[in-house]
Amino acid sequence: MSRLSGLARWEEAHFRRMRWLAWIVAGTAAVALIGLFALLFKILVQPAPPRSVVISTGPADGAYHAFAMRYRAYLARYGVDLVLKESNGSLENLRRLQERRDGVQVALVQGGLATSADAPGIVTLGSLFYEPVWFFWHGKQPLAYLAQLRGKRVAVGDEGSGARVLALRLLGANGIDGKTMRMDPAGGLEAAAKLESGAVDAAILVNAPEASAVQRLLHAKGVWPIGFKRADAYTRHYPFLEKIVIPAGALDLARNIPVEDLTVVAVTANLLAAEDLHPVIVDLLVEAAREVHGGSSLLNRPGEFPSLRDRDFPPSPDAERNYRGQYSSFLRRYMPFWLSVWVQRFLFFAIPVLAIGIPLLRYLPATYRWGVRRRIYRWYGELKFLELSLQRDSGGAAKGLKHLADIEQRVGALRVPPAYAGEYYTLRIHIGLVRQQLEARLKERGA
């Protein structure tokens, strides 16, 4: 029976090794699952979107500010407060965004002012509309070229405005600077009022046709909108400029403004943002821009804006996905915005985790079943060896009964879950069958 006892000890040691192996595998799977959760949370799951975002707009009477108010109304539908910060214009907007001054994370900026090399950490969410360079002249006869402004009084825009930067750039290309003309730091409606009154001879504005200052000067008596006869030359020198022909009467059919086709050069107004702006806010701003600027205007066809045509700054990856149609606002149609955000975050996070975690979790019940059954089935090996030893040595029945009693005692001490009671009692029945064989053999020898 020493061989049988040794086998029992070996099987028990083997069971302990397998049990520890199962725990190691289960522990490793649990650690891997937790690590996967942490990694996905860090890489894929963004913090909750902010409740408010600050945008730098421009003067209160300008087109930028008017459009930003419409963006604010759109974001308000989803519980996000778009805080508008007035400024002197694009240049100040760009500086605020670059320095994150006053909490600014988004800004409306005229094209051609700077590039990503000048202002790193800024991305574009898209170009919104054309902003023509308007050259207005007050006099009896219209002028033909900017070079004719030498010695004249010219309103070039407020300090900090993109219009001023571009006006001085174009005038400089025509050999005119502060020494050869009298500059007036007026812009917008102030410049329009001065031009109407004759306080200045000319005004250069960079604005959408809908801007109040532009509309005022287009309808003013004695004020001429001057076209750019050399528009192609300007676009060659400055790639950020685009040539646009405004057909006669396009701005006002009733008054036939302009009276003939007007060729102008234009920049695009761009929506710039900090590169770490939350993806959900990026989506909301792009969708707001699509609602505000997606239709036709005096200068563009439907669907032309917004678009990623600004080459000065790299596009936001989140905005690129939105323009490619890879973002769906399906959830927002049927549930509140913040609930849809958390549902999207959960799905984005949970689906890959469950796809990996479920197969791992399925292994744990199998390991548990194997462990419980192993405690029962290991004794069948002992019973089989008892039967074989009895066949080889008929005189070992008494020793076999003694060893069987030890087995029965140890089996009786087993604790198994109720679900496995049938297999447990089947083992007890089989132990009884072997006992009957041993007792029968012992009686034969006694006879």
Side-chain angles (χ1 to χ4, degrees):
M1 292 301 157
S2 60
R3 179 180 176 183
L4 296 179
S5 299
L7 178 63
R9 287 194 298 271
W10 179 87
E11 286 191 342
E12 187 168 352
H14 177 69
F15 171 71
R16 284 196 299 269
R17 286 195 300 271
M18 294 301 293
R19 183 174 59 187
W20 278 110
L21 179 61
W23 278 109
I24 290 172
V25 172
T28 303
V31 171
L33 196 59
I34 293 171
L36 181 62
F37 267 92
L39 182 63
L40 289 174
F41 189 87
K42 182 176 181 181
I43 295 177
L44 302 179
V45 179
Q46 298 285 338
R51 294 279 182 172
S52 65
V53 182
V54 181
I55 181 171
S56 188
T57 60
D61 61 351
Y64 282 8
H65 194 80
F67 285 131
M69 291 178 67
R70 296 175 65 182
Y71 302 160
R72 181 173 63 183
Y74 183 90
L75 267 65
R77 300 179 202 170
Y78 301 100
V80 178
D81 181 25
L82 186 63
V83 180
L84 276 56
K85 290 284 185 181
E86 296 179 16
S87 70
N88 288 328
S90 288
L91 193 59
E92 186 175 359
N93 292 347
L94 182 62
R95 288 172 180 167
R96 280 179 177 175
L97 180 59
Q98 187 177 4
E99 300 168 5
R100 306 296 192 271
R101 197 190 314 161
D102 301 324
V104 170
Q105 292 180 283
V106 187
L108 289 160
V109 178
Q110 171 191 304
L113 291 184
T115 65
S116 57
D118 307 311
I122 295 177
V123 294
T124 179
L125 306 187
S127 299
L128 307 175
F129 52 89
Y130 288 121
E131 288 192 293
V133 180
W134 301 97
F135 173 21
F136 290 104
W137 167 254
H138 183 276
K140 295 180 179 180
Q141 296 293 329
L143 299 184
Y145 304 105
L146 286 179
Q148 293 175 281
L149 293 177
R150 187 181 300 272
K152 305 299 183 180
R153 296 165 298 175
V154 183
V156 295
D158 302 318
E159 288 283 353
S161 68
R164 182 187 181 94
V165 173
L166 184 55
L168 294 179
R169 197 168 181 180
L170 297 181
L171 288 169
N174 284 274
I176 300 176
D177 56 23
K179 296 178 181 179
T180 55
M181 71 172 177
R182 287 174 285 175
M183 279 195 306
D184 190 300
L189 288 173
E190 182 185 1
K194 285 188 173 184
L195 187 61
E196 281 186 288
S197 66
V200 296
D201 300 308
I204 298 178
L205 307 177
V206 182
N207 234 320
E210 297 85 356
S212 54
V214 174
Q215 285 294 316
R216 178 172 174 175
L217 291 177
L218 285 172
H219 293 84
K221 293 182 179 180
V223 175
W224 305 83
I226 309 302
F228 283 73
K229 294 183 178 181
R230 300 179 295 174
D232 290 322
Y234 282 104
T235 59
R236 297 291 179 87
H237 283 278
Y238 304 107
F240 58 85
L241 292 175
E242 295 194 43
K243 175 184 174 181
I244 297 177
V245 177
I246 303 175
L251 302 179
D252 191 331
L253 283 171
R255 300 186 182 183
N256 194 34
I257 299 174
V259 295
E260 58 184 16
D261 289 358
L262 183 67
T263 301
V264 297
V265 292
V267 293
T268 54
N270 304 305
L271 187 62
L272 303 184
E275 62 182 354
D276 58 352
L277 185 65
H278 196 283
V280 171
I281 302 300
V282 171
D283 280 321
L284 285 176
L285 287 170
V286 172
E287 290 167 11
R290 189 175 286 121
E291 178 174 281
V292 174
H293 306 289
S296 61
S297 75
L298 297 173
L299 302 178
N300 62 271
R301 298 182 180 277
E304 191 173 347
F305 291 105
S307 60
L308 292 173
R309 60 200 307 160
D310 175 23
R311 299 182 182 88
D312 293 335
F313 292 93
S316 160
D318 299 299
E320 280 189 303
R321 285 193 290 271
N322 192 300
Y323 284 109
R324 289 197 300 265
Q326 294 180 353
Y327 174 82
S328 173
S329 57
F330 173 80
L331 291 175
R332 290 193 218 150
R333 299 174 189 170
Y334 302 101
M335 61 180 64
F337 169 67
W338 291 100
L339 178 60
S340 71
V341 168
W342 282 105
V343 170
Q344 282 181 311
R345 283 156 58 85
F346 173 77
L347 293 176
F348 192 54
F349 173 59
I351 289 176
V353 171
L354 293 176
I356 299 174
I358 288 176
L360 293 177
L361 293 175
R362 289 180 61 186
Y363 176 77
L364 296 180
T367 303
Y368 175 75
R369 288 194 299 270
W370 175 84
V372 174
R373 287 173 173 168
R374 184 69 182 82
R375 294 164 61 190
I376 297 172
Y377 295 151
R378 61 184 292 265
W379 296 107
Y380 281 100
E382 293 273 4
L383 298 179
K384 186 62 178 177
F385 274 105
L386 278 175
E387 289 182 319
L388 292 175
S389 64
L390 189 62
Q391 294 174 4
R392 292 192 299 267
D393 181 13
S394 59
K399 292 182 180 180
L401 284 171
K402 184 177 179 181
H403 187 63
L404 187 64
D406 180 60
I407 291 175
E408 195 168 20
Q409 181 180 4
R410 295 173 69 179
V411 169
L414 287 178
R415 296 293 182 266
V416 296
Y420 299 89
E423 295 169 342
Y424 171 73
Y425 284 106
T426 300
L427 172 63
R428 298 286 295 270
I429 291 172
H430 292 161
I431 291 175
L433 292 175
V434 174
R435 177 181 292 281
Q436 291 176 10
Q437 293 181 27
L438 291 173
E439 289 175 348
R441 183 58 59 89
L442 190 61
K443 288 180 180 179
E444 290 178 3
R445 289 182 60 82

